[in-house]
Amino acid sequence: MGGGRGVEDFTGMSATRPWLTFASPVHCYRLAGWIAPWIAVAAAVLFVVGLYVGLFVAPADFQQGEVYRVLFLHAPTAWMGMLLYVLLAGYAGLGWVFNLRVSSMMAASMATTGALFTLLALLTGALWARPTWGTWWVWDARTTSTLILLFLYIGFISLHSAIEDRRRADRAGAVIALAGVVNVPIIYFSVEWWSTLHQGATIRIGRESSIAAEMVVPFLVLTAACWLYAIAIVLFRLRCEIRERDALGELKVREI
Amino acid sequence: MTWSTAGAGVYVWSAYLITLAVLMGEVWYLVRRHRSGAVSRGVNRAPSSQVSR
């Protein structure tokens, strides 16, 4: 595609409007390619450390015994599922309102990772619930609203894939993302609003944790690992998305 | 490790292995997607540099 202008011309444009610099797919593509591998390496290291500490170092729980170790993965994956949906809705909304392509592409890049984290939260939750509650699944407020979150992700991905014109797909996806974001506070506060089998939050920012310090460490390390993994994967997928849209000729030369 | 693969260990190991399998599967899929794009468009070719925001 093309024209005769190069990156330098765009850089010149962004010199007068610096906030546009990282709204450019070109800059995003290069920045993502530069930082994503480092973040991926950091995520891998934290996963190894977190899994080792969670499996072999943290002591057994006095009530749940060894099975509580599933929660070292369950809680971080559940948090990531919710956080990624909020970010997805934010980026999709920004892309829709301000017509920012990169913002919409970021939203599309987050959907699969968010869906997988939500699926993992449900699977690990079932593996923890079987020996603890005596059943794989209950229609508890939190599990049900988390299942709805998975359906919202699947709805977003399906709708986005079903529409051939990516810009229309971005706008349609933004509608479902913004409509569904109301589900996230429902998931978070469900254990306080309704009487559920789920326990309340054990780790809260700004308050003393109700679990032992040696048990908090694997939680925090694996949460950081999940965060870094999600960032790296989303950036890699963003690069794929940019390149594919560019190949389809959807990233047009901007008239300035 | 003071606990065996019997009893609770089955659930714990299943959770850890499923999580790793899913995350590694996503990485594998993305690497394939990235490479297929690279093959069709030239390895490590950046997108056209004149694109709009």
Side-chain angles (χ1 to χ4, degrees), chain A residues 85-86 88-90 92-93 107 152 156 159 171-182:
Chain A
Y85 194 88
V86 172
L88 183 156
L152 284 167
F156 179 89
L159 187 63
R171 287 194 291 273
V175 174
I176 195 171
L178 289 170
V181 80
V182 70

Side-chain angles (χ1 to χ4, degrees), chain A residues 52-63:
Chain A
Y52 177 78
V53 174
L55 277 172
F56 302 111
V57 178
D61 183 71
F62 82 103
Q63 278 184 322

Side-chain angles (χ1 to χ4, degrees), chain B residues 5-49:
Chain B
T5 52
V10 173
Y11 298 103
V12 176
W13 279 111
S14 300
Y16 278 62
L17 292 176
I18 287 171
T19 302
L20 284 178
V22 169
L23 298 184
M24 289 303 101
E26 189 183 19
V27 170
W28 174 78
Y29 166 78
L30 260 185
V31 168
R32 282 196 57 172
R33 182 176 166 187
H34 197 264
R35 281 188 182 162
S36 66
V39 169
S40 64
R41 292 180 42 73
V43 176
N44 287 332
R45 180 191 178 283
S48 307
S49 54

